Amino acid sequence: MELSTIKDAFERVVKKQKLCSSRSQEVIDLVGREIEQALTRLLSAHDPTSPVDYRSILAELKLKLNGIGPIHQLEGSHKELNGNLSRYTKLLEKSLNPDISKAYRDVDFDHHIENQLIANHFYQQGSFDLGDGIIDEAGEPESTILKSQFVVMHQILEAMEVKNLEPALNWVSANREKLNQSGSNLELKLHSLQFLEILKKGTQADALKYARTCLAPFASPASPHKEEVLKLMGCLLYPGRLDSSPYSEFTSPTHWEKSMEDLTRQFCSLLGQSYNSPLSMTIAAGLEGLPTLLKLANVMAAKKQEWQAMKQLPVPVELGKEFQFHSIFVCPVSRDQGSEENPPMLMPCLHVLCKQSILKLTKSSTRTFKCPYCPAEASAAQCRQLYF
């Protein structure tokens, strides 16, 4: 069963929970108001000018509470919630097999790489104590260079969280050439944020001075960022009141969040590291492919066939584009995925088929064959292997 089904069921439970909570609060508020009104009337008994009949007040309160029927109302909304929650737990038990060992394949791992992968994940997340703990327990040599770089990255990010851009600007300045080669506009983003902070907290003259010094290089006629800088200059008309100006979009906190994300991405790129932790990507891909593998294991077990020794799975494991890092060739004739044993081959007409399909078309290594997609003829010897 697809994870989307479980997600939909979960969202239905959340919706019912919110409705139940809202309804329960309404009932409690209504009961509370009736009790408060009755207490107010009871306390007025101290006023000799307005004698109070306690019994009649309490009897009237009881009558009103019976009319509201709080227990009945609460039971109804909670019954619906419990029904949805019960169905959701049954769906989880049916869909998520707790025994995932059937989908496990005994593969030889390089435990050194595995330990470094886990430690580097924690370093990248800023959990340096956890990373050091993994290294110590596994007896691995400490990757001081990578760890020290991630320490610097998190120091920069922590400074940005309190609107201190000096460490970030210093790092960008030191790596300007590499950032420009990758086409990054991170330096402009940071200078724009600093310019806006000066305009909000300082004076118009201070902001203009900063713009002439730091933003002018991005406003040259040949610069692709000229229009963006010109728009920023319009903010100079509203010092101290940007929030209520036509340029209020520049004050959105999302600009800081996106700049921090971009800095993290560029920092990891210059380190030769992936922005998304390889460990988290591996786990996420495994979770997405796990239902298919468990279903395959059950089907193969029922047929008393062994699947773990297969070089290629008999069914595709569909993963999202975020998990596709290499080009994949699928033969248009056989529909088989290219592999080392069956690589893609380029024909003289520039069409591509897998090697096994070409061998079947030639029926022998010397016989010519007609391309399935054009009138050109070729032989197996004329085809060349492609490398992706």
Side-chain angles (χ1 to χ4, degrees), residues 260-273:
M260 292 174 69
E261 180 183 339
D262 192 13
L263 186 140
T264 305
R265 192 181 298 275
Q266 296 299 331
F267 202 107
C268 291
S269 177
L270 295 188
L271 285 178
Q273 300 292 313

Side-chain angles (χ1 to χ4, degrees), residues 49-204:
T49 60
S50 55
V52 175
D53 185 351
Y54 295 105
R55 292 182 179 273
S56 63
I57 293 175
L58 294 175
E60 185 180 346
L61 175 62
K62 182 179 179 181
L63 188 63
K64 287 182 178 180
L65 294 180
N66 289 337
I68 295 172
I71 296 178
H72 176 72
Q73 292 195 51
L74 293 175
E75 282 180 346
S77 58
H78 279 80
K79 185 177 181 180
E80 292 183 11
L81 173 61
N82 290 335
N84 279 272
L85 188 58
S86 177
R87 286 190 291 272
Y88 177 64
T89 54
K90 290 178 181 178
L91 179 64
L92 286 178
E93 291 173 359
K94 180 181 178 182
S95 305
L96 302 179
N97 190 332
D99 182 14
I100 64 174
S101 62
K102 292 181 289 186
Y104 171 76
R105 297 184 72 175
D106 190 9
V107 179
D108 289 332
F109 288 106
D110 185 330
H111 293 291
H112 169 71
I113 294 177
E114 186 179 359
N115 294 330
Q116 290 291 340
L117 192 72
I118 297 172
N120 288 340
H121 168 80
F122 288 121
Y123 289 151
Q124 186 171 344
Q125 301 302 315
S127 301
F128 299 104
D129 290 340
L130 287 175
D132 290 341
I134 293 292
I135 293 296
D136 291 340
E137 290 183 18
E140 295 287 342
E142 187 176 358
S143 53
T144 53
I145 297 177
L146 195 59
K147 175 188 172 183
S148 62
Q149 290 296 321
F150 281 130
V151 168
V152 172
M153 184 183 80
H154 281 280
Q155 287 174 345
I156 295 173
L157 294 175
E158 288 170 6
M160 290 183 69
E161 287 178 355
V162 294
K163 304 294 179 69
N164 178 10
L165 286 168
E166 185 178 353
L169 288 170
N170 290 337
W171 180 83
V172 166
S173 178
N175 295 276
R176 181 178 291 125
E177 185 177 347
K178 294 178 181 178
L179 292 171
N180 289 338
Q181 288 175 357
S182 65
S184 170
N185 65 340
L186 176 60
E187 185 173 9
L188 173 60
K189 289 181 180 179
L190 296 177
H191 280 306
S192 299
L193 291 174
Q194 186 75 319
F195 167 76
L196 293 168
E197 284 299 302
I198 294 172
L199 194 58
K200 285 192 292 184
K201 298 178 180 179
T203 65
Q204 188 182 53

Side-chain angles (χ1 to χ4, degrees), residues 298-310:
N298 290 331
V299 171
M300 298 295 282
K303 294 182 178 180
K304 297 183 179 180
Q305 295 177 345
E306 180 59 46
W307 68 278
Q308 296 201 11
M310 294 180 177

